[in-house]
Amino acid sequence: MKMDLAGRNTILFFIPHAGQILHPWDISRPAYGSIRRDNTLGWSGMREILRMQQRLVPDLIDVLRRRHMILRHLALLGTAGRRTLAHSLAIGERVLRAETDFLREQGLVRIDARGMEVSEAGRELLREMEPMIGSLFGLSEMEDELRRRFSLKAVTVVPGDSDLSPAAKKDLGRAGAAALIRFVSPQSDIVAVTGGSTMAEVAGWLNPAVPFRGVCFVPARGGLGESVELQANTIASTMAKNTGATYRLLHVPDHLGEEAYQSLMQEPNIREVVAEVRRARIVIHGIGDAVRMARRRNMDEAAIAALVTDGALAEAFGYYFNRDGQVVHKMPTLGLRLEDIQQTETVIAVAGGASKGRAIAAVLRFGHEDVLVTDEAAARVILDELA
């Protein structure tokens, strides 16, 4: 592939044929990961070429990464104006203008009165690059290190920082959907889902092309006092409707006193749904910052101060964890309990953004996660925590 580095020189960037090409928006396959080792040149040969190119043309990878990220963000956003895209990528409009002009000249981007969008040639280039991105940009090394340090079955790290970029958040949701598809049994399964904006993104990427006719989606817990579209009930039903699956709803408050808990558990329908939730073979959940989640749950300031004193960093499925992964507080609620999580066959965490890195690390230290889907910014913070 020829790349013109800011109009100065044209050099040849060689990437060996990697066999099977992954469509960048095909969620039925892992979103990222190492390049196949059975390619023509061989992995060690490719790495040697990259090493030499990095020494001879040190800005090559930076330019490649920047242009790839522009194409990828545009593909995820659909159509976007220059200002919106610059904000999403956290780069200056002047730099973006130069890069998008180059991409337009190469026939990879179309620009008109509606904004910018990726051309079919641009989408094809994304498809061709997909198997190599993890290794090319160092994501595969982060995945391997996280997998090894936390004894996980699988890890996916997507580019970017979902705190700053809506497109990175969409990419996180896409990779979360891919992880769910990988581990679910479409003929017969129960999947418990938590609420939150990240889970809503995961739900949006599921579609009828991947039928789950034997799957039942259930909310992991009762409703949270927030937007209806972000509640676990809504997300469970959306996932089911998008995949042809079934679902059950849990119409109870998220935060219950002991008396209310005992009373509701006497209701046959609620008891039946709770039993099904606790039989879930797969749990897919987000991870939140402890104090932020406490405020969303309308905890009083004294309780929040106690969380801080106890060192709470993270919240997941109603439990608050300190840096060492120990539970320091739990919400009295119907739904999944800690002992249920510990017995669940596959627990999938989907969370990203640099601001959540320490929280994600805390939940991983709890030791009962099986799959992690995160972004590059969070992965760096997690690995820094381990250093």
Side-chain angles (χ1 to χ4, degrees):
M1 179 171 62
K2 290 183 179 180
M3 298 198 67
D4 178 4
L5 296 182
R8 293 191 302 270
N9 297 300
T10 301
I11 65 169
L12 183 65
F13 183 73
F14 175 72
I15 298 177
H17 178 64
Q20 184 181 22
I21 297 298
L22 302 184
H23 191 296
W25 322 124
D26 182 356
I27 62 168
S28 65
R29 295 169 177 161
Y32 291 93
S34 302
I35 190 171
R36 288 170 51 125
R37 266 56 169 183
D38 60 348
N39 57 71
T40 307
L41 183 65
W43 174 237
S44 61
M46 178 180 176
R47 291 200 57 150
E48 183 62 19
I49 286 177
L50 288 174
R51 187 189 66 80
M52 289 187 293
Q53 288 179 330
Q54 191 74 316
R55 293 184 66 185
L56 289 168
V57 194
D59 57 349
L60 171 66
I61 299 299
D62 292 338
V63 173
L64 179 63
R65 180 187 179 91
R66 184 166 62 246
R67 291 175 181 171
H68 172 267
M69 287 296 290
I70 291 169
L71 281 177
R72 188 170 197 86
H73 275 59
L74 265 181
L76 286 162
L77 294 172
T79 301
R82 187 172 285 112
R83 182 170 299 177
T84 299
L85 188 58
H87 175 74
S88 180
L89 290 162
I91 62 176
E93 287 189 51
R94 185 175 180 179
V95 173
L96 181 63
R97 181 188 296 275
E99 296 291 12
T100 52
D101 285 348
F102 170 83
L103 293 172
R104 180 181 58 182
E105 290 167 6
Q106 299 300 309
L108 304 174
V109 165
R110 289 191 294 267
I111 303 177
D112 57 27
R114 295 174 303 140
M116 299 178 288
E117 63 180 357
V118 179
S119 68
E120 186 51 46
R123 292 182 183 277
E124 179 61 28
L125 180 59
L126 285 172
R127 283 192 287 270
E128 291 173 355
M129 292 181 70
E130 186 74 6
M132 305 142 189
I133 293 307
S135 299
L136 196 60
F137 298 154
L139 305 180
S140 297
E141 287 82 355
M142 287 192 283
E143 291 170 347
D144 291 342
E145 182 69 5
L146 289 168
R147 189 183 304 113
R148 183 182 66 82
R149 296 294 292 268
F150 293 105
S151 301
L152 299 167
K153 294 179 184 176
V155 176
T156 298
V157 176
V158 304
D161 184 346
S162 52
D163 281 345
L164 305 175
S165 168
K169 185 75 169 279
K170 288 180 179 295
D171 214 1
L172 191 66
R174 184 178 72 89
L180 178 59
I181 291 166
R182 175 180 174 185
F183 287 95
V184 79
S185 175
Q187 304 311 314
S188 179
D189 224 333
I190 300 176
V191 179
V193 185
T194 66
S197 60
T198 303
M199 287 298 101
E201 287 287 355
V202 173
W205 281 99
L206 296 172
N207 60 67
V210 188
F212 286 177
R213 291 189 178 87
V215 176
C216 180
F217 286 96
V218 294
R221 50 192 296 111
L224 183 63
E226 59 180 352
S227 302
V228 172
E229 62 269 19
L230 300 183
Q231 292 183 11
N233 274 332
T234 304
I235 292 169
S237 65
T238 300
M239 287 182 170
K241 291 171 183 176
N242 286 353
T243 57
T246 59
Y247 63 95
R248 303 291 300 273
L249 301 180
L250 191 56
H251 294 294
V252 296
D254 183 61
H255 189 182
L256 295 171
E258 182 61 28
E259 185 177 342
Y261 174 88
Q262 295 298 336
S263 175
L264 285 168
M265 282 300 286
Q266 301 306 311
E267 296 290 331
N269 182 60
I270 290 176
R271 195 164 59 243
E272 179 185 337
V273 175
V274 169
E276 190 154 14
V277 169
R278 293 174 178 173
R279 288 199 305 271
R281 191 183 69 86
I282 295 176
V283 173
I284 182 166
H285 69 93
I287 295 172
D289 171 81
V291 172
R292 192 175 304 150
M293 290 302 296
R295 289 209 164 94
R296 279 172 56 184
R297 289 197 162 97
N298 298 315
M299 290 177 65
D300 59 52
E301 288 302 317
I304 292 173
L307 284 177
V308 174
T309 300
D310 291 339
L313 285 180
E315 187 277 341
F317 30 82
Y319 290 82
Y320 291 80
F321 301 85
N322 65 14
R323 184 182 185 278
D324 297 322
Q326 299 167 332
V327 175
V328 296
H329 180 76
K330 66 177 181 178
M331 299 283 289
T333 183
L334 295 172
L336 282 178
R337 303 162 300 185
L338 203 61
E339 54 264 40
D340 302 317
I341 296 292
Q342 292 167 335
Q343 297 300 317
T344 301
E345 185 173 321
T346 302
V347 180
I348 303 171
V350 186
S355 67
K356 288 187 179 180
R358 296 180 69 216
I360 297 167
V363 174
L364 291 175
R365 289 189 182 102
F366 169 59
H368 292 282
E369 299 294 330
D370 299 294
V371 180
L372 172 66
V373 179
T374 191
D375 61 26
E376 182 179 3
R380 292 190 188 282
V381 174
I382 296 168
L383 293 172
D384 286 345
E385 279 276 298
L386 299 174

